[in-house]
Amino acid sequence: PAPAEAGRAPGPPDGGWGWVVVFGAFVSIGFAYAFPKGLAIFFKEIQDFFGTSYSEIAWVSSIMLATTYGAGPISSILVNRYGSRPVVMFGGLLCGVGMISAAFCTSILQLYICVGFITGFGLALNLQPSVIIIGKYFLKRRPIANGLAMAGSPVMLCTLAPLNQFLFDNFGWRGSFLILGAILLNCCVAGALFRPIGAGTALVKTQVPEEGKDALKGKITEDGKEMSSALNVPMENKTEDEGEKDCFEKINQYLDFSLFKHRGFLIYLIGNVLMFLGFFAPIVFLAPYAKHTGIDEYSAAFLLSILAIVDMVARPTTGIVANSKWVRPRIQYFFSFAIAFNGACHLLCPLASSYTGLIVYSGFFGLAFGMVCAMLFETLMDLVGAARFTSAVGLVTIAECCTILLGPPLGGILIDTFGDYKYMFIKCGAVMVLAGTFLFIMNYYNYRILAKEEKARKTKEEDPKSIRTENEGRKNWNKDSTQNGPELEPLREEGEGVKKEMNST
């Protein structure tokens, strides 16, 4: 028989090719997060072209973000089945096809399908596999690796904001979508860097045992058929039960629904679902808000670049701080503070009436936004562990897609109703402060309960009475089984008779 660890992949190398994987994740995560925000540059002109309202045009980014998060379980299942590399490469192909198709759209509904659903689904196949494979390559340096990979979003946003404005001025929104579709095909190159960790070793070691298992399985099946024919016992019910069990095990292997019994996971899920109601809307409407106040188009696009530059520095810095020995044990509290700080920035945004004020707001917003994004998946992995992280990402993203879908359109409705952007910023700020406060209080409560449970467990292990009770329980069980022995004699005799009959045959 093969050794127990023959089919296992080696542990995380925490370096080496892992840094190349981080670069690939840097590109794919950057496109997944920054691309929906960078499209806001075209919204004003597309709105005038199709004659739509703020809330209708906001559905383009909203559907794209919701599809990116809502397709999380599908992405997780595909990663478990095929690995990260082919999934990301196929996602990059879908992104390119979606944007190139959007260049030929003649209605806002067609934009919803091409940009929202097709491109959004392609970005979903870029996001989750990139986050998952970092957890396979890193353990000790995982917060730093996650921070560096997440820095791809501000770098891409800093590049895409002025690039989109340049493309629009020279080629219009249709020509810009064609060029952006070609640029998104670089996600295929990023996915090619995601080399499976330990795949070759595991394949060589498990090849022979698998053949042995198949041969043994065939022999057992044949023997079972002979025994069933000799004893006239049908085997169909057993096969059906095994088939049902295998089907359930496969589903549970791809998506671990037992996470909904995990207290820390539920706290994280509720807080994040509430947070995303106001997380993306301020970025989507930042450039239109600047244009609304009379700022020229390039200066409005430059606000997104300022936000991205600060965000670019904030993410790896937050990863380094979160990896320190003082913060990492309390990373859930640090994450809660970052969310509340993000909300406070939005609440103060209406006070920024000049371009200088908007620059200051963009700087603080970039800092808060980078802090949240750098710890978004690290805190989830801290709660559920690397083994269950793939399922956790899929379940979290599909729950978050509802509030992501509603966030920007609700902001657009507030703008259409009151004719002012400040109510949208106030709504987003209040929601995020509430989410940060909820996470801080509930994590404190969760840690208190975990400490009590750990203390009770240690007390039970050290208590001699509990050990004596367990020993007495074992003795009673053995005694009961001994007393029940004569009652089982007819069954034993019948079994021996069957054995003799089989041997004679």
Side-chain angles (χ1 to χ4, degrees):
E5 297 181 356
R8 296 182 185 176
D14 274 309
W17 188 261
W19 298 116
V20 180
V21 172
V22 168
F23 175 74
F26 175 91
V27 175
S28 57
I29 290 174
F31 278 119
Y33 275 120
F35 195 78
K37 306 163 196 170
L39 286 182
I41 299 296
F42 304 101
F43 281 178
K44 183 67 177 173
E45 288 71 26
I46 295 176
Q47 180 183 352
D48 296 337
F49 184 84
F50 290 113
T52 58
S53 62
Y54 281 104
S55 58
E56 288 176 329
I57 196 65
W59 278 101
V60 176
S61 284
S62 187
I63 292 173
M64 183 187 292
L65 288 167
T67 306
T68 302
Y69 278 78
I74 300 175
S75 181
S76 298
I77 290 172
L78 291 175
V79 170
N80 283 331
R81 180 66 181 85
Y82 301 105
S84 294
R85 176 188 280 175
V87 173
V88 174
M89 295 177 72
F90 179 67
L93 184 62
L94 275 182
C95 291
V97 170
M99 289 305 298
I100 292 171
S101 302
F104 302 97
C105 291
T106 56
S107 67
I108 193 71
L109 180 61
Q110 293 175 0
L111 276 181
Y112 291 161
I113 296 171
C114 294
V115 179
F117 288 108
I118 298 177
T119 306
F121 185 66
L123 294 177
L125 299 183
N126 277 270
L127 178 59
Q128 277 85 3
S130 303
V131 176
I132 290 167
I133 198 167
I134 290 176
K136 294 180 180 179
Y137 269 90
F138 291 90
L139 180 62
K140 294 180 180 178
R141 300 176 181 175
R142 195 178 62 210
I144 300 175
N146 275 324
L148 290 172
M150 288 294 180
S153 174
V155 171
M156 292 295 178
L157 183 59
C158 181
T159 307
L160 285 175
L163 176 64
N164 287 348
Q165 191 64 52
F166 172 79
L167 292 176
F168 175 76
D169 292 339
N170 291 274
F171 304 101
W173 68 270
R174 291 187 185 274
S176 300
F177 279 12
L178 280 173
I179 297 172
L180 289 173
I183 292 174
L184 282 174
L185 292 175
N186 285 287
C187 293
C188 300
V189 182
L193 299 175
F194 292 168
R195 188 165 64 193
I197 181 169
T201 307
L203 185 62
V204 171
K205 288 184 178 180
T206 57
Q207 187 174 2
V208 176
E210 287 296 328
E211 293 176 357
K213 287 180 181 178
D214 292 338
L216 182 61
K217 192 182 294 183
K219 185 177 180 181
I220 291 173
T221 306
E222 292 176 359
D223 293 343
K225 288 180 180 178
E226 293 175 1
M227 289 173 62
S228 62
S229 61
L231 300 174
N232 295 323
V233 179
M235 295 184 64
E236 294 179 358
N237 295 334
K238 186 176 180 181
T239 306
E240 291 177 0
D241 294 340
E242 288 178 354
E244 292 176 0
K245 185 178 179 182
D246 291 342
C247 181
F248 177 76
E249 287 177 352
K250 287 179 181 178
I251 295 173
N252 198 49
Q253 178 185 358
Y254 292 140
L255 287 176
D256 188 3
F257 291 101
S258 64
L259 284 167
F260 287 107
K261 298 179 181 179
H262 193 290
R263 187 169 53 244
F265 174 79
L266 290 176
I267 293 171
Y268 177 92
L269 181 65
I270 295 171
N272 275 256
V273 166
L274 183 61
M275 176 194 73
F276 276 107
L277 196 60
F279 191 61
F280 288 114
I283 295 182
V284 172
F285 289 106
L286 179 58
Y289 173 50
K291 294 178 183 178
H292 178 75
T293 57
I295 297 171
D296 63 277
E297 296 175 347
Y298 277 96
S299 298
F302 185 65
L303 289 175
L304 290 175
S305 299
I306 294 173
L307 186 151
I309 291 170
V310 178
D311 190 4
M312 192 189 313
V313 179
R315 295 196 189 202
T317 305
T318 303
I320 294 171
V321 173
N323 200 44
S324 63
K325 61 180 181 180
W326 299 283
V327 178
R328 190 162 188 180
R330 304 170 182 83
I331 194 170
Q332 303 296 334
Y333 296 131
F334 192 33
F335 181 58
S336 307
F337 165 76
I339 295 174
F341 176 52
N342 202 323
C345 293
H346 301 326
L347 289 175
L348 297 175
C349 179
L351 300 178
S353 57
S354 63
Y355 186 65
T356 304
L358 286 175
I359 290 176
V360 174
Y361 164 72
S362 299
F364 279 101
F365 183 22
L367 174 63
F369 192 84
M371 291 172 66
V372 173
C373 290
M375 294 183 291
L376 190 61
F377 295 108
E378 175 60 32
T379 49
L380 178 59
M381 196 177 293
D382 178 71
L383 287 170
V384 302
R388 307 172 78 185
F389 180 67
T390 305
S391 296
V393 170
L395 295 174
V396 165
T397 50
I398 194 157
E400 292 170 347
C401 73
C402 299
T403 50
I404 291 171
L405 180 67
L406 295 175
L410 284 177
I413 291 172
L414 290 174
I415 296 168
D416 292 334
T417 303
F418 297 100
D420 198 343
Y421 283 79
K422 69 178 181 180
Y423 297 103
M424 186 273 299
F425 285 103
I426 291 173
K427 183 269 296 183
C428 294
V431 166
M432 295 201 69
V433 169
L434 178 63
T437 306
F438 169 81
L439 283 173
F440 189 89
I441 294 173
M442 294 306 295
N443 279 317
Y444 175 77
Y445 168 75
N446 184 34
Y447 284 137
R448 288 285 300 273
I449 292 181
L450 288 174
K452 289 181 180 179
E453 291 174 351
E454 182 68 16
K455 185 177 180 181
R457 186 183 64 81
K458 289 183 178 180
T459 304
K460 186 178 179 180
E461 289 178 354
E462 295 173 357
D463 189 6
K465 292 182 179 180
S466 62
I467 299 174
R468 193 184 309 123
T469 306
E470 291 178 1
N471 293 332
E472 290 176 358
R474 291 195 188 97
K475 290 179 181 179
N476 292 333
W477 184 84
N478 292 329
K479 185 178 180 182
D480 292 340
S481 61
T482 305
Q483 290 176 353
N484 291 334
E487 297 177 4
L488 300 177
E489 281 298 322
L491 296 178
R492 291 173 185 166
E493 291 174 1
E494 184 179 356
E496 291 175 359
V498 171
K499 289 181 180 178
K500 290 178 181 178
E501 193 175 1
M502 289 174 61
N503 292 330
S504 63
T505 303

mmCIF file of all heavy atoms in Angstrom, residues 73-74 76-78 80-81 242-260 390-392 395:
data_model
loop_
_atom_site.group_PDB
_atom_site.id
_atom_site.type_symbol
_atom_site.label_atom_id
_atom_site.label_comp_id
_atom_site.label_asym_id
_atom_site.label_seq_id
_atom_site.Cartn_x
_atom_site.Cartn_y
_atom_site.Cartn_z
ATOM 1 N N PRO A 73 -19.602 30.953 -6.302
ATOM 2 C CA PRO A 73 -19.673 29.496 -6.140
ATOM 3 C C PRO A 73 -19.322 28.732 -7.406
ATOM 4 O O PRO A 73 -18.660 27.699 -7.352
ATOM 5 C CB PRO A 73 -21.140 29.269 -5.743
ATOM 6 C CG PRO A 73 -21.576 30.543 -5.140
ATOM 7 C CD PRO A 73 -20.840 31.607 -5.884
ATOM 8 N N ILE A 74 -19.757 29.243 -8.569
ATOM 9 C CA ILE A 74 -19.415 28.583 -9.834
ATOM 10 C C ILE A 74 -17.902 28.602 -10.037
ATOM 11 O O ILE A 74 -17.292 27.601 -10.438
ATOM 12 C CB ILE A 74 -20.131 29.275 -11.012
ATOM 13 C CG1 ILE A 74 -21.643 29.217 -10.820
ATOM 14 C CG2 ILE A 74 -19.736 28.648 -12.336
ATOM 15 C CD1 ILE A 74 -22.419 29.981 -11.860
ATOM 16 N N SER A 76 -15.631 28.792 -7.672
ATOM 17 C CA SER A 76 -15.010 27.891 -6.693
ATOM 18 C C SER A 76 -15.116 26.435 -7.139
ATOM 19 O O SER A 76 -14.164 25.662 -7.006
ATOM 20 C CB SER A 76 -15.676 28.074 -5.327
ATOM 21 O OG SER A 76 -15.490 29.388 -4.849
ATOM 22 N N ILE A 77 -16.279 26.049 -7.680
ATOM 23 C CA ILE A 77 -16.467 24.679 -8.150
ATOM 24 C C ILE A 77 -15.513 24.373 -9.305
ATOM 25 O O ILE A 77 -14.887 23.307 -9.365
ATOM 26 C CB ILE A 77 -17.937 24.461 -8.567
ATOM 27 C CG1 ILE A 77 -18.835 24.458 -7.320
ATOM 28 C CG2 ILE A 77 -18.097 23.150 -9.328
ATOM 29 C CD1 ILE A 77 -20.309 24.449 -7.638
ATOM 30 N N LEU A 78 -15.388 25.320 -10.238
ATOM 31 C CA LEU A 78 -14.490 25.123 -11.378
ATOM 32 C C LEU A 78 -13.030 25.026 -10.930
ATOM 33 O O LEU A 78 -12.249 24.250 -11.482
ATOM 34 C CB LEU A 78 -14.665 26.263 -12.385
ATOM 35 C CG LEU A 78 -15.998 26.294 -13.137
ATOM 36 C CD1 LEU A 78 -16.091 27.542 -14.006
ATOM 37 C CD2 LEU A 78 -16.172 25.051 -13.990
ATOM 38 N N ASN A 80 -11.971 23.921 -7.965
ATOM 39 C CA ASN A 80 -11.801 22.608 -7.341
ATOM 40 C C ASN A 80 -11.735 21.485 -8.372
ATOM 41 O O ASN A 80 -11.094 20.459 -8.144
ATOM 42 C CB ASN A 80 -12.959 22.343 -6.377
ATOM 43 C CG ASN A 80 -12.812 23.100 -5.078
ATOM 44 O OD1 ASN A 80 -11.710 23.376 -4.641
ATOM 45 N ND2 ASN A 80 -13.919 23.453 -4.453
ATOM 46 N N ARG A 81 -12.398 21.697 -9.495
ATOM 47 C CA ARG A 81 -12.454 20.639 -10.520
ATOM 48 C C ARG A 81 -11.264 20.702 -11.480
ATOM 49 O O ARG A 81 -10.671 19.686 -11.829
ATOM 50 C CB ARG A 81 -13.772 20.765 -11.298
ATOM 51 C CG ARG A 81 -13.966 19.716 -12.394
ATOM 52 C CD ARG A 81 -14.111 18.329 -11.795
ATOM 53 N NE ARG A 81 -14.271 17.320 -12.839
ATOM 54 C CZ ARG A 81 -13.285 16.735 -13.489
ATOM 55 N NH1 ARG A 81 -12.022 17.077 -13.230
ATOM 56 N NH2 ARG A 81 -13.515 15.817 -14.400
ATOM 57 N N GLU A 242 -24.995 3.983 -2.259
ATOM 58 C CA GLU A 242 -23.629 4.453 -2.427
ATOM 59 C C GLU A 242 -23.561 5.580 -3.436
ATOM 60 O O GLU A 242 -22.806 6.531 -3.288
ATOM 61 C CB GLU A 242 -22.737 3.294 -2.877
ATOM 62 C CG GLU A 242 -22.478 2.268 -1.768
ATOM 63 C CD GLU A 242 -21.642 1.115 -2.275
ATOM 64 O OE1 GLU A 242 -21.376 1.078 -3.485
ATOM 65 O OE2 GLU A 242 -21.259 0.266 -1.455
ATOM 66 N N GLY A 243 -24.395 5.494 -4.510
ATOM 67 C CA GLY A 243 -24.417 6.561 -5.511
ATOM 68 C C GLY A 243 -24.899 7.866 -4.932
ATOM 69 O O GLY A 243 -24.336 8.932 -5.178
ATOM 70 N N GLU A 244 -25.989 7.786 -4.098
ATOM 71 C CA GLU A 244 -26.498 8.997 -3.463
ATOM 72 C C GLU A 244 -25.466 9.580 -2.513
ATOM 73 O O GLU A 244 -25.260 10.785 -2.443
ATOM 74 C CB GLU A 244 -27.793 8.676 -2.724
ATOM 75 C CG GLU A 244 -28.951 8.314 -3.653
ATOM 76 C CD GLU A 244 -30.181 7.916 -2.876
ATOM 77 O OE1 GLU A 244 -30.095 7.936 -1.626
ATOM 78 O OE2 GLU A 244 -31.197 7.576 -3.496
ATOM 79 N N LYS A 245 -24.814 8.728 -1.788
ATOM 80 C CA LYS A 245 -23.796 9.206 -0.852
ATOM 81 C C LYS A 245 -22.639 9.881 -1.587
ATOM 82 O O LYS A 245 -22.142 10.919 -1.181
ATOM 83 C CB LYS A 245 -23.290 8.027 -0.024
ATOM 84 C CG LYS A 245 -22.312 8.413 1.070
ATOM 85 C CD LYS A 245 -21.898 7.205 1.869
ATOM 86 C CE LYS A 245 -20.905 7.580 2.952
ATOM 87 N NZ LYS A 245 -20.463 6.404 3.717
ATOM 88 N N ASP A 246 -22.222 9.268 -2.709
ATOM 89 C CA ASP A 246 -21.130 9.853 -3.476
ATOM 90 C C ASP A 246 -21.527 11.211 -4.036
ATOM 91 O O ASP A 246 -20.740 12.142 -4.049
ATOM 92 C CB ASP A 246 -20.742 8.908 -4.616
ATOM 93 C CG ASP A 246 -20.086 7.632 -4.107
ATOM 94 O OD1 ASP A 246 -19.640 7.658 -2.952
ATOM 95 O OD2 ASP A 246 -20.057 6.629 -4.848
ATOM 96 N N CYS A 247 -22.783 11.340 -4.505
ATOM 97 C CA CYS A 247 -23.255 12.614 -5.054
ATOM 98 C C CYS A 247 -23.249 13.697 -3.975
ATOM 99 O O CYS A 247 -22.791 14.813 -4.205
ATOM 100 C CB CYS A 247 -24.658 12.435 -5.631
ATOM 101 S SG CYS A 247 -25.347 13.927 -6.362
ATOM 102 N N PHE A 248 -23.744 13.362 -2.777
ATOM 103 C CA PHE A 248 -23.758 14.338 -1.688
ATOM 104 C C PHE A 248 -22.342 14.727 -1.281
ATOM 105 O O PHE A 248 -22.051 15.891 -1.017
ATOM 106 C CB PHE A 248 -24.516 13.760 -0.493
ATOM 107 C CG PHE A 248 -24.525 14.657 0.703
ATOM 108 C CD1 PHE A 248 -25.347 15.774 0.751
ATOM 109 C CD2 PHE A 248 -23.691 14.412 1.791
ATOM 110 C CE1 PHE A 248 -25.359 16.609 1.850
ATOM 111 C CE2 PHE A 248 -23.689 15.248 2.881
ATOM 112 C CZ PHE A 248 -24.528 16.345 2.910
ATOM 113 N N GLU A 249 -21.445 13.728 -1.242
ATOM 114 C CA GLU A 249 -20.066 14.020 -0.873
ATOM 115 C C GLU A 249 -19.399 14.935 -1.890
ATOM 116 O O GLU A 249 -18.607 15.804 -1.537
ATOM 117 C CB GLU A 249 -19.277 12.721 -0.737
ATOM 118 C CG GLU A 249 -19.635 11.917 0.516
ATOM 119 C CD GLU A 249 -18.890 10.605 0.584
ATOM 120 O OE1 GLU A 249 -18.217 10.268 -0.411
ATOM 121 O OE2 GLU A 249 -18.987 9.923 1.613
ATOM 122 N N LYS A 250 -19.711 14.737 -3.174
ATOM 123 C CA LYS A 250 -19.132 15.586 -4.200
ATOM 124 C C LYS A 250 -19.609 17.020 -4.056
ATOM 125 O O LYS A 250 -18.830 17.967 -4.158
ATOM 126 C CB LYS A 250 -19.493 15.047 -5.588
ATOM 127 C CG LYS A 250 -18.743 13.780 -5.957
ATOM 128 C CD LYS A 250 -19.164 13.282 -7.335
ATOM 129 C CE LYS A 250 -18.427 11.999 -7.693
ATOM 130 N NZ LYS A 250 -18.853 11.475 -9.006
ATOM 131 N N ILE A 251 -20.923 17.209 -3.813
ATOM 132 C CA ILE A 251 -21.457 18.566 -3.639
ATOM 133 C C ILE A 251 -20.835 19.222 -2.419
ATOM 134 O O ILE A 251 -20.422 20.383 -2.453
ATOM 135 C CB ILE A 251 -22.990 18.520 -3.515
ATOM 136 C CG1 ILE A 251 -23.609 18.033 -4.827
ATOM 137 C CG2 ILE A 251 -23.547 19.885 -3.139
ATOM 138 C CD1 ILE A 251 -25.098 17.803 -4.752
ATOM 139 N N ASN A 252 -20.742 18.471 -1.324
ATOM 140 C CA ASN A 252 -20.180 19.036 -0.103
ATOM 141 C C ASN A 252 -18.682 19.295 -0.229
ATOM 142 O O ASN A 252 -18.133 20.162 0.443
ATOM 143 C CB ASN A 252 -20.442 18.086 1.065
ATOM 144 C CG ASN A 252 -20.303 18.768 2.405
ATOM 145 O OD1 ASN A 252 -20.864 19.834 2.614
ATOM 146 N ND2 ASN A 252 -19.551 18.172 3.311
ATOM 147 N N GLN A 253 -18.031 18.551 -1.144
ATOM 148 C CA GLN A 253 -16.602 18.778 -1.366
ATOM 149 C C GLN A 253 -16.373 20.106 -2.075
ATOM 150 O O GLN A 253 -15.414 20.824 -1.799
ATOM 151 C CB GLN A 253 -16.039 17.628 -2.203
ATOM 152 C CG GLN A 253 -14.556 17.773 -2.550
ATOM 153 C CD GLN A 253 -14.084 16.677 -3.468
ATOM 154 O OE1 GLN A 253 -14.848 15.779 -3.815
ATOM 155 N NE2 GLN A 253 -12.837 16.742 -3.866
ATOM 156 N N TYR A 254 -17.252 20.451 -3.021
ATOM 157 C CA TYR A 254 -17.105 21.692 -3.768
ATOM 158 C C TYR A 254 -17.541 22.905 -2.946
ATOM 159 O O TYR A 254 -16.919 23.949 -2.977
ATOM 160 C CB TYR A 254 -17.904 21.620 -5.070
ATOM 161 C CG TYR A 254 -17.349 20.628 -6.058
ATOM 162 C CD1 TYR A 254 -18.185 19.820 -6.805
ATOM 163 C CD2 TYR A 254 -15.978 20.492 -6.245
ATOM 164 C CE1 TYR A 254 -17.677 18.900 -7.715
ATOM 165 C CE2 TYR A 254 -15.458 19.586 -7.148
ATOM 166 C CZ TYR A 254 -16.307 18.792 -7.882
ATOM 167 O OH TYR A 254 -15.796 17.896 -8.779
ATOM 168 N N LEU A 255 -18.653 22.786 -2.227
ATOM 169 C CA LEU A 255 -19.167 23.881 -1.406
ATOM 170 C C LEU A 255 -19.504 23.333 -0.027
ATOM 171 O O LEU A 255 -20.458 22.544 0.116
ATOM 172 C CB LEU A 255 -20.406 24.513 -2.048
ATOM 173 C CG LEU A 255 -20.176 25.373 -3.290
ATOM 174 C CD1 LEU A 255 -21.503 25.845 -3.841
ATOM 175 C CD2 LEU A 255 -19.287 26.554 -2.986
ATOM 176 N N ASP A 256 -18.746 23.726 0.960
ATOM 177 C CA ASP A 256 -18.909 23.215 2.324
ATOM 178 C C ASP A 256 -20.004 24.018 3.030
ATOM 179 O O ASP A 256 -19.742 25.067 3.614
ATOM 180 C CB ASP A 256 -17.577 23.324 3.071
ATOM 181 C CG ASP A 256 -17.629 22.645 4.425
ATOM 182 O OD1 ASP A 256 -18.673 22.045 4.737
ATOM 183 O OD2 ASP A 256 -16.639 22.713 5.170
ATOM 184 N N PHE A 257 -21.236 23.513 2.984
ATOM 185 C CA PHE A 257 -22.362 24.229 3.573
ATOM 186 C C PHE A 257 -22.361 24.169 5.102
ATOM 187 O O PHE A 257 -23.150 24.868 5.733
ATOM 188 C CB PHE A 257 -23.681 23.668 3.040
ATOM 189 C CG PHE A 257 -23.927 23.978 1.588
ATOM 190 C CD1 PHE A 257 -23.693 23.020 0.615
ATOM 191 C CD2 PHE A 257 -24.364 25.228 1.202
ATOM 192 C CE1 PHE A 257 -23.893 23.303 -0.719
ATOM 193 C CE2 PHE A 257 -24.566 25.525 -0.134
ATOM 194 C CZ PHE A 257 -24.339 24.569 -1.095
ATOM 195 N N SER A 258 -21.501 23.339 5.684
ATOM 196 C CA SER A 258 -21.403 23.325 7.142
ATOM 197 C C SER A 258 -20.815 24.625 7.685
ATOM 198 O O SER A 258 -20.851 24.866 8.894
ATOM 199 C CB SER A 258 -20.542 22.145 7.599
ATOM 200 O OG SER A 258 -19.199 22.286 7.143
ATOM 201 N N LEU A 259 -20.282 25.486 6.794
ATOM 202 C CA LEU A 259 -19.771 26.789 7.242
ATOM 203 C C LEU A 259 -20.863 27.660 7.834
ATOM 204 O O LEU A 259 -20.581 28.564 8.630
ATOM 205 C CB LEU A 259 -19.118 27.513 6.057
ATOM 206 C CG LEU A 259 -17.735 27.025 5.641
ATOM 207 C CD1 LEU A 259 -17.348 27.591 4.285
ATOM 208 C CD2 LEU A 259 -16.691 27.402 6.679
ATOM 209 N N PHE A 260 -22.117 27.403 7.457
ATOM 210 C CA PHE A 260 -23.209 28.198 8.008
ATOM 211 C C PHE A 260 -23.465 27.875 9.481
ATOM 212 O O PHE A 260 -24.278 28.540 10.123
ATOM 213 C CB PHE A 260 -24.486 27.989 7.187
ATOM 214 C CG PHE A 260 -24.449 28.656 5.841
ATOM 215 C CD1 PHE A 260 -24.313 27.910 4.689
ATOM 216 C CD2 PHE A 260 -24.511 30.038 5.734
ATOM 217 C CE1 PHE A 260 -24.256 28.518 3.445
ATOM 218 C CE2 PHE A 260 -24.452 30.657 4.492
ATOM 219 C CZ PHE A 260 -24.332 29.898 3.341
ATOM 220 N N THR A 390 -11.760 27.963 0.047
ATOM 221 C CA THR A 390 -12.342 27.954 -1.289
ATOM 222 C C THR A 390 -13.869 27.974 -1.229
ATOM 223 O O THR A 390 -14.521 28.759 -1.921
ATOM 224 C CB THR A 390 -11.863 26.714 -2.065
ATOM 225 O OG1 THR A 390 -10.439 26.690 -2.078
ATOM 226 C CG2 THR A 390 -12.378 26.731 -3.489
ATOM 227 N N SER A 391 -14.443 27.123 -0.403
ATOM 228 C CA SER A 391 -15.901 27.111 -0.244
ATOM 229 C C SER A 391 -16.396 28.398 0.399
ATOM 230 O O SER A 391 -17.451 28.926 0.025
ATOM 231 C CB SER A 391 -16.325 25.915 0.613
ATOM 232 O OG SER A 391 -16.017 24.699 -0.027
ATOM 233 N N ALA A 392 -15.639 28.926 1.371
ATOM 234 C CA ALA A 392 -16.070 30.138 2.066
ATOM 235 C C ALA A 392 -16.144 31.324 1.111
ATOM 236 O O ALA A 392 -17.095 32.115 1.170
ATOM 237 C CB ALA A 392 -15.110 30.446 3.215
ATOM 238 N N LEU A 395 -19.339 30.996 -1.056
ATOM 239 C CA LEU A 395 -20.580 31.259 -0.323
ATOM 240 C C LEU A 395 -20.702 32.731 0.061
ATOM 241 O O LEU A 395 -21.804 33.296 0.044
ATOM 242 C CB LEU A 395 -20.633 30.378 0.928
ATOM 243 C CG LEU A 395 -20.710 28.871 0.674
ATOM 244 C CD1 LEU A 395 -20.599 28.102 1.980
ATOM 245 C CD2 LEU A 395 -22.004 28.511 -0.036
#
